[in-house]
Amino acid sequence: MAHARISMYLPPNIDPTKADIAYGCWALPNLNKELQSEDLQTRQKALMALCDLMHDPEYVYQAINIGCLESLTALLKDSDTLVRIKTTEALHIMATHNVGRTSFLEHDIILALSFLLNDPHSACRQNLHQVYKQLSQLPSGAQGILSSGLIPSLVWKLPREEEDIQELILDTLAPCLQEDATEALSSRAVPFLKQKLLSTNTNIRRKAARVLIAISIPLEGKDQVRQEDVIPILVDLLKDKDHEVQANAAGALMYATVTTEGKYAALDADAIDPLLKLLSSSSTKVRLNAAKALTMLAEAPEGRRRLQPQVPAFRILESESNQTIQRAAQIAIKVIEWKP
């Protein structure tokens, strides 16, 4: 005869660390209410469940409309570590959706997150930098970060953070400095970026060179890159094994050598030979940036003299199917063959 027995185990598919989600349209309103609970465990469970739901853009839209962003903003100041980590994680997931990024700009989430830049737990800091990275991909998001006055803080944190977070900071700085590099230049960003160009981490070298492209657009940036002796390091990076590092280094040289002083600094660093080798690279981006950098050097009499025997290499590029490279090669040849 069968006996009734109560199992000591939880039913399958039940997670005791997550709040029970109400059915249908009541799911998010109930979670939002639980986010505001005074009970720590209730807040933690609600955040666990919310993180799962935020992968769906429809739930993100609904969460914003019912005031979840206000609740999450308040939880950023919570004394519990797990609450702060899960709150920033929820915001990171929301930031992967366009509706989330747009709403963050309207609700001053950028400034609210900045208070956690020095949080003792790296998971929390990593999540907030993921949000900044996502926001910076939008021109309005990059402007929002700039107008919040965060650039000096991001620059200061760059050499002090863990490598994973350094990569995120560099990803955020690149589009922001394309908009305006003034604050970064006054925060001594160039010496910090110079240090990152020497990193053994390939990703950091890639991203640091990319930021240098952005910071070299204004005249002051070009001058600082030359004055801080960054140009010889960029020349060395042209020989890097990674194509992206090569392309970004050539791109940074292209901007840094717009000035006469920059041209001669690159010529003194023997930039022409490694740049010529890159003209036969398998990477389109590398060939393009190398051709443009060489065009800048050809504007100097010494550079033009050294490049005149190399015109056949540019003729090869001129015959490529890629119209952008064709145009770059034609301009290079015109500059090299120019006679006063």
Side-chain angles (χ1 to χ4, degrees):
M1 183 176 178
H3 297 280
R5 180 176 297 174
I6 299 175
S7 172
M8 61 185 292
Y9 300 105
L10 289 171
N13 303 321
I14 297 295
D15 189 343
T17 66
K18 296 179 183 176
D20 294 330
I21 300 176
Y23 180 75
C25 63
W26 289 104
L28 283 168
N30 281 0
L31 283 178
N32 191 33
K33 185 178 179 181
E34 291 173 352
L35 290 176
Q36 302 167 32
S37 171
E38 294 184 1
D39 179 65
L40 174 60
Q41 195 172 33
T42 300
R43 297 198 302 276
Q44 291 175 341
K45 288 184 176 182
L47 283 165
M48 296 281 191
L50 186 68
C51 285
D52 286 344
L53 293 180
M54 290 302 96
H55 290 283
D56 187 333
E58 291 187 14
Y59 279 125
V60 174
Y61 180 79
Q62 185 184 351
I64 292 166
N65 283 341
I66 65 170
C68 280
L69 274 184
E70 288 80 358
S71 300
L72 291 171
T73 301
L75 290 177
L76 290 173
K77 300 177 182 178
D78 200 285
S79 59
D80 181 70
T81 300
L82 181 59
V83 168
R84 295 196 308 278
I85 290 174
K86 299 307 290 186
T87 300
T88 53
E89 182 182 336
L91 291 170
H92 165 218
I93 298 169
M94 294 173 78
T96 61
H97 305 289
N98 188 56
V99 64
R101 292 190 291 269
T102 304
S103 298
F104 283 9
L105 298 175
E106 296 170 355
H107 289 80
D108 293 327
I109 297 297
I110 293 175
L111 199 56
L113 281 168
S114 67
F115 294 103
L116 296 180
L117 281 170
N118 295 314
D119 193 275
H121 297 275
S122 61
C124 190
R125 300 195 306 276
Q126 186 163 20
N127 285 332
L128 80 87
H129 283 294
Q130 289 278 12
V131 176
Y132 286 162
K133 175 187 173 181
Q134 293 289 342
L135 288 172
S136 68
Q137 307 310 307
L138 297 175
S140 56
Q143 284 290 351
I145 293 172
L146 286 165
S147 61
S148 296
L150 287 178
I151 297 301
S153 297
L154 294 176
V155 170
W156 187 84
K157 294 289 287 183
L158 185 57
R160 296 166 174 83
E161 272 291 6
E162 299 173 4
E163 285 197 344
D164 288 347
I165 298 177
Q166 288 179 26
E167 291 182 30
L168 294 172
I169 294 174
L170 291 168
D171 282 334
T172 301
L173 286 174
C176 289
L177 301 194
Q178 284 181 339
E179 297 288 330
D180 186 357
T182 306
E183 283 191 317
L185 289 167
S186 61
S187 302
R188 291 187 52 78
V190 173
F192 290 143
L193 292 170
K194 176 183 177 181
Q195 179 187 359
K196 294 304 155 191
L197 290 176
L198 302 171
S199 172
T200 56
N201 184 318
T202 301
N203 285 333
I204 289 180
R205 294 199 306 278
R206 285 178 186 168
K207 296 171 191 290
R210 180 181 169 223
V211 177
L212 272 168
I213 292 176
I215 210 169
S216 298
I217 294 174
L219 178 59
E220 185 182 352
K222 295 174 174 61
D223 289 339
Q224 286 196 23
V225 167
R226 175 182 55 82
Q227 292 163 1
E228 295 289 342
D229 292 325
V230 177
I231 288 177
I233 298 175
L234 291 172
V235 172
D236 284 340
L237 289 180
L238 297 174
K239 306 166 191 173
D240 199 282
K241 295 180 180 179
D242 184 79
H243 285 323
E244 192 69 19
V245 173
Q246 292 174 343
N248 290 342
L253 281 172
M254 174 183 67
Y255 281 105
T257 54
V258 168
T259 64
T260 301
E261 296 86 350
K263 293 184 202 312
Y264 282 98
L267 290 171
D268 290 342
D270 296 322
I272 287 182
D273 287 341
L275 283 170
L276 285 170
K277 289 180 181 179
L278 295 184
L279 293 181
S280 57
S281 170
S282 59
S283 166
T284 301
K285 184 178 178 181
V286 171
R287 295 197 304 278
L288 178 62
N289 286 354
K292 289 182 175 181
L294 285 166
T295 302
M296 291 292 104
L297 296 179
E299 292 179 352
E302 182 183 342
R304 185 160 54 251
R305 178 179 57 78
R306 292 178 59 184
L307 285 169
Q308 282 171 349
Q310 307 299 330
V311 169
F314 292 94
R315 296 289 183 196
I316 295 173
L317 292 184
E318 198 178 16
S319 64
E320 283 201 20
S321 58
N322 187 304
Q323 292 184 355
T324 306
I325 290 185
Q326 282 182 16
R327 179 64 178 158
Q330 289 166 1
I331 294 172
I333 293 169
K334 184 177 179 180
V335 173
I336 293 169
E337 294 183 336
W338 177 84
K339 294 181 180 179

